Amino acid sequence: MTESGPRLLLGAPIATEMRARVKVEMAAFRRRHGFVPTLAVVFVGRDAPSAVYLQQILRSCRNAGAVGRLVHLPAGETAAHLRREIELLNADPLVSGIIVQMPLPKRIPLSVVIDAIDPAKDIDGLHPRNFGLLALGYEGFLPATAQAAVEILKRSGIALEGQHAVVVGRSNVVGKPAALLLLREHCTVTVCHSRTVDLGAHTRAADIVVVAAGRPGLITGTMLKPGAVVVDVGINMVAEGIVGDVDLASASAVVSAISPVPGGVGPITNAILLQHLLRAARAQVEGTPDRRLRRPPTRPPAASTPRPS
Ligand code: NAP
């Protein structure tokens, strides 16, 4: 931290660069194939934060030269109808990517989406095929928010290798994949959740803390190590507006860098979805189903790492 406070890890400049690149590549795709990819966003019910987020995604699609199609189903919709809608989108050749906005109404289990969605169009990495590829270290579609949480660290030049990272949250869409991605970056990873005993003892030991719990103010300055780097993934609507899971005021007195909410991870998540949409479209049109079982290159450990003799 400097006298003026910690470094703010801002998502907007990173996302702007990513989106500009996607826009150029989207135009090239259109010239080559004669159509623009469509992202179908399925939304069941009425959830105010989701609605705001969806409008952002649809606007990002338009700005990038893609089509964003909202498939809005009423709150009382049945699981069978949701499945049918997803199957129709799977079969639509103009639809290259599908995301289903969470949370679903409690009546509809997530398994309905997971069982129905075509893994080649599953650009938010929900399907077991994509999650399995991630777990095994291959290149499937990664869950965009988890990827964004790690991307903001990498693109901000934060060293990850050998660092102790604590992830707070173990959901399949954010916490768990973020932990796997940090492991891939050679962090030593601890995953905490609602049954963790003495959360602060874990977070205080961390060089990097990624928080995705959906609990405003869960992490305070006294729970953080001086100089730690914090990525706040939480999005919570409170009386004052949108806040993350980290108490920014107390954390700012301790940490060296922190991603704000709003303005941190969110914009990058959006840009990553566009990247995934383009990649899915290419794979579908060019007849190369996105099954690249390609492992990221592994590097030897840094020279300073002590080795057993
Ligand atoms: P989720 O499915 O509700 O999972 C929350 C996780 O946090 C669970 O693993 C839960 O533990 C853990 N948790 C809850 N209370 C805790 C506590 N007091 N101490 C420690 N762990 C606790 O939520 P999610 O979908 O992962 O989303 C997490 C947050 O990220 C939400 O605020 C969501 O709005 C936000 N989000 C942001 C973006 C973005 O683009 N920035 C995108 C998606 C989601 P258990 O497993 O034990 O229940």
Side-chain angles (χ1 to χ4, degrees):
M1 188 187 98
T2 64
E3 272 188 13
S4 55
R7 174 180 170 201
L8 287 182
L9 305 178
L10 298 176
I14 299 169
T16 301
E17 195 187 311
M18 293 166 85
R19 278 198 298 260
R21 196 181 171 133
V22 169
K23 188 171 182 173
V24 170
E25 293 181 20
M26 204 67 89
F29 180 95
R30 183 183 195 157
R31 282 195 299 278
R32 185 157 180 202
H33 299 293
F35 76 101
V36 290
T38 293
L39 170 63
V41 183
V42 183
F43 178 37
V44 188
R46 273 186 300 175
D47 177 70
S50 295
V52 173
Y53 178 62
L54 291 184
Q55 289 311 322
Q56 284 170 1
I57 296 181
L58 296 173
R59 201 170 42 240
S60 299
C61 281
R62 282 195 296 276
N63 291 344
V67 174
R69 186 196 297 177
L70 181 61
V71 180
H72 189 184
L73 306 179
E77 202 50 277
T78 62
H81 192 183
L82 173 61
R83 180 191 298 271
R84 182 74 194 125
E85 286 293 340
I86 294 173
E87 285 166 356
L88 287 173
L89 295 170
N90 285 343
D92 185 337
L94 290 181
V95 172
S96 306
I98 304 168
I99 57 175
V100 180
Q101 182 60 25
M102 302 297 155
L104 290 169
K106 289 208 165 33
R107 293 169 297 99
I108 303 183
L110 181 60
S111 58
V112 170
V113 178
I114 288 176
D115 292 346
I117 197 166
D118 178 349
K121 297 189 178 186
D122 168 38
I123 63 163
D124 207 9
L126 273 185
H127 192 277
R129 179 173 200 285
N130 285 314
F131 201 92
L133 291 174
L134 162 64
L136 294 174
Y138 292 95
E139 297 283 321
F141 286 115
L142 303 173
T145 303
Q147 188 180 347
V150 177
E151 204 63 29
I152 199 168
L153 290 166
K154 289 170 71 175
R155 293 203 183 219
S156 304
I158 307 291
L160 296 176
E161 185 168 333
Q163 300 294 292
H164 181 193
V166 168
V167 179
V168 183
R170 59 173 166 179
S171 73
N172 290 337
V173 285
V174 193
K176 222 180 277 175
L180 288 167
L181 288 173
L182 289 164
L183 204 53
R184 193 186 273 191
E185 296 299 327
H186 308 292
C187 288
T188 301
V189 182
T190 302
V191 182
C192 298
H193 45 80
S194 67
R195 316 286 174 91
T196 296
V197 176
D198 199 352
L199 179 63
H202 293 281
T203 53
R204 259 191 305 277
D207 305 304
I208 294 164
V209 183
V210 175
V211 194
R215 299 280 182 275
L218 177 67
I219 304 295
T220 59
T222 56
M223 298 167 75
L224 296 165
K225 175 158 102 175
V229 175
V230 176
V231 176
D232 190 352
V233 183
I235 299 179
N236 306 292
M237 290 289 271
V238 296
E240 298 76 41
I242 293 177
V243 297
D245 290 346
V246 180
D247 175 45
L248 191 61
S250 61
S252 293
V254 180
V255 301
S256 62
I258 185 164
S259 71
V261 179
V265 172
I268 303 180
T269 303
N270 238 316
I272 285 174
L273 282 173
L274 294 174
Q275 283 183 340
H276 290 187
L277 177 69
L278 185 63
R279 180 176 145 200
R282 281 188 184 134
Q284 288 156 34
V285 170
E286 291 165 11
T288 49
D290 206 42
R291 298 206 171 112
R292 290 178 297 163
L293 293 183
R294 182 168 64 78
R295 270 184 176 279
T298 50
R299 281 173 294 119
S304 59
T305 306
R307 291 160 199 262
S309 52

